[in-house]
Amino acid sequence: MFSRQVAEELRSFETPFYLYDISLLRQTLESAVSVAKKYGYVLHYAIKANYDPRILSVVRDYGLGVDCASGNEIRCALEAGFEPSGIVYAGVGKRDKEIRYAIERQIFAINCESLQELDLINSIAASLDKVQPIGLRINPDIDPKTNKCIDTGQADSKFGIPYEELVSSLDHVRSLKNVKITGMHLHIGSQIRELHVFEYLCEKVNSILAHLGSHGLDFEFIDVGGGLGVNYDFPENEPVPNFASVFAIINSHLKAGGRPVHFEFGRAIVAQCGELITSVLFNKTTATGRKLVIVDASMTELLRPALYGAYHNIENITSASDVKERYSVVGTACESTDVFDESVSLPKTSRGDLLSIKSSGAYGMSMASRYNLHDLPAAVYSDDIVR
Ligand SMILES: Cc1ncc(COP(=O)(O)O)c(C=O)c1O
């Protein structure tokens, strides 16, 4: 909730822009790190969620490693000062040059997503005279009970190695001389709010560990990925996600046998500290009676609603009206799916008002594009203004 004074101060910045609450980011990291420490858990930040340099420097202050999804993300993490020894790298379609770069930089593990990829990593490592540590990303066939578009752990998903295929190829996996299987990796999806799903994940990991162990394949660490969801409906009620609950579930259900357990949170770290501030350009009512509020942001700044129908809470932070109206808040891009909310109740909203599109710190700026040759949005940090 903005004071009127702060909302008016925001008018001095050109919209649209991302506003980051750095003290909330610190609070979130403090919470994640302090509970993780209790269990000895290792945290990586999924840099795909947001690679703003200021955010990265705060994340680095708290000692997290990084989960990367491309060679450029690895480069970005290294340039931001993260240690290679804290970097993991997943992705179904790693290019040869990205694999070579990861091996040369001596990252903690490449999380490998297919047996064909494992052969390729082996041959590139051989050409560099290296032995590359590998986390095997196993597809556990679990329904994470989230939006289908961000579900990555079911059997027909493109992610991870099908388990039966892995089991039938163990002799081949063991024969590869330039890879060393160090970890088991899983990531079943994002925005997981039904936390019991993590119990199923643990049960799956326990049975895989036992089964592969009986076939002579052991792991030095277990990486259970990210996925912890945030409260998009009522962000003010839950500014810091419930790390304690997810860690407690993993601690009580996972039979890790003393192996370090790693996590790769993206959304849970940065979603709530960011909001997209946008100005109202026009009001228009369609012939069918749909009341549009046309704002100067669009899917080019925040793609999630257009990409997979994601919901973000919207607030008018400058209107003083007591009259509430129902609006469709739409963006400037030349796409009909460029809608932030089909039906939102706001105080009477008109040209020049500022709207805040909440919980947009994760997968907001990092998915921004220059479609329609829009400029990329700027970032403003809470410590640069008074809250
Ligand atoms: C392999 C992997 N790890 C971690 C994450 C981060 O997920 P989340 O932002 O839900 O925590 C993702 C997200 O796509 C991912 O693909």
Side-chain angles (χ1 to χ4, degrees):
M1 205 53 161
F2 289 92
S3 69
R4 272 214 78 73
Q5 185 206 348
V6 171
E8 288 307 322
E9 272 183 57
L10 293 177
R11 290 193 185 281
S12 61
F13 301 96
E14 186 182 351
T15 54
F17 61 87
Y18 276 99
L19 175 63
Y20 294 116
D21 183 341
I22 297 297
S23 84
L24 178 57
L25 174 62
R26 288 191 186 282
Q27 244 180 285
T28 306
L29 286 159
E30 188 69 52
S31 165
V33 166
S34 63
V35 197
K37 199 165 161 200
K38 190 170 136 192
Y39 301 111
Y41 291 159
V42 183
L43 300 184
H44 303 262
Y45 166 61
I47 195 170
K48 61 176 79 72
N50 192 318
Y51 44 79
D52 177 275
R54 182 80 186 278
I55 286 185
L56 292 185
S57 88
V58 177
V59 171
R60 200 197 51 213
D61 285 351
Y62 284 81
L64 278 74
V66 185
D67 162 50
C68 297
S70 71
N72 283 346
E73 286 192 357
I74 297 174
R75 186 171 291 109
C76 175
L78 293 173
E79 284 171 4
F82 289 91
E83 294 296 331
S85 58
I87 294 180
V88 291
Y89 172 27
V92 288
K94 302 177 185 81
R95 297 168 184 86
D96 296 26
K97 70 173 184 182
E98 294 178 303
I99 292 172
R100 188 171 304 109
Y101 180 68
I103 296 172
E104 285 169 349
R105 291 291 169 272
Q106 301 186 339
I107 66 169
F108 179 70
I110 296 182
N111 288 333
C112 173
E113 308 226 11
S114 71
L115 295 176
Q116 195 177 11
E117 180 193 331
L118 191 64
D119 287 337
L120 177 63
I121 298 171
N122 185 63
S123 70
I124 296 175
S127 72
L128 296 168
D129 203 17
K130 294 257 172 37
V131 175
Q132 175 58 40
I134 298 287
L136 287 179
R137 181 170 181 177
I138 296 173
N139 181 310
D141 191 18
I142 290 176
D143 178 356
K145 310 260 185 255
T146 184
N147 183 331
K148 272 241 55 83
C149 305
I150 48 176
D151 154 346
T152 58
Q154 301 208 58
D156 64 345
S157 157
K158 70 175 179 177
F159 298 100
I161 306 173
Y163 186 60
E164 294 308 323
E165 188 188 346
L166 174 62
V167 171
S168 63
S169 311
L170 285 178
D171 287 343
H172 175 66
V173 169
R174 269 189 291 257
S175 73
L176 300 172
K177 297 281 177 281
N178 292 86
V179 288
K180 178 170 190 258
I181 309 303
T182 51
M184 182 202 296
H185 176 238
L186 307 97
H187 170 73
I188 56 173
S190 200
Q191 185 52 14
I192 297 170
R193 294 286 284 168
E194 296 189 31
L195 295 187
H196 61 269
V197 162
F198 289 106
E199 294 177 18
Y200 306 148
L201 176 66
C202 292
E203 284 155 18
K204 241 343 181 319
V205 174
N206 295 342
S207 77
I208 293 173
L209 274 177
H211 187 222
L212 290 181
S214 72
H215 285 79
L217 182 62
D218 201 2
F219 299 95
E220 294 169 14
F221 71 93
I222 301 163
D223 180 342
V224 293
L228 177 62
V230 302
N231 191 338
Y232 282 103
D233 295 331
F234 304 103
E236 268 91 14
N237 292 355
E238 207 184 322
V240 176
N242 199 344
F243 295 101
S245 292
V246 76
F247 290 151
I249 289 173
I250 301 286
N251 180 56
S252 58
H253 290 81
L254 186 69
K255 295 181 185 145
R259 298 172 187 86
V261 180
H262 294 234
F263 293 80
E264 306 166 344
F265 295 126
R267 188 186 309 274
I269 304 287
V270 290
Q272 299 293 33
C273 77
E275 52 204 299
L276 180 61
I277 306 294
T278 180
S279 301
V280 175
L281 293 174
F282 303 111
N283 294 82
K284 173 155 90 177
T285 304
T286 65
T288 57
R290 187 177 168 216
K291 285 189 173 175
L292 306 179
V293 162
I294 303 167
V295 295
D296 65 358
S298 74
M299 62 193 283
T300 64
E301 286 79 24
L302 180 61
L303 181 60
R304 299 184 67 254
L307 184 64
Y308 31 64
Y311 172 80
H312 288 263
N313 194 291
I314 299 179
E315 190 188 339
N316 184 328
I317 58 175
T318 51
S319 171
S321 173
D322 293 330
V323 180
K324 290 257 185 178
E325 303 241 23
R326 206 152 264 289
Y327 299 104
S328 290
V329 177
V330 303
T332 56
C334 296
E335 297 293 332
S336 295
T337 57
D338 183 27
V339 176
F340 288 115
D341 197 321
E342 228 9 288
S343 174
V344 54
S345 170
L346 295 173
K348 198 166 171 32
T349 294
S350 46
R351 179 170 168 81
D353 285 352
L354 291 186
L355 304 191
S356 162
I357 305 180
K358 309 281 186 70
S359 315
S360 46
Y363 308 107
M365 182 60 205
S366 60
M367 286 189 177
S369 78
R370 296 215 52 215
Y371 177 54
N372 290 163
L373 285 183
H374 286 178
D375 293 327
L376 289 174
V380 173
Y381 306 95
S382 56
D383 15 9
D384 298 337
I385 51 170
V386 193
R387 237 190 214 226

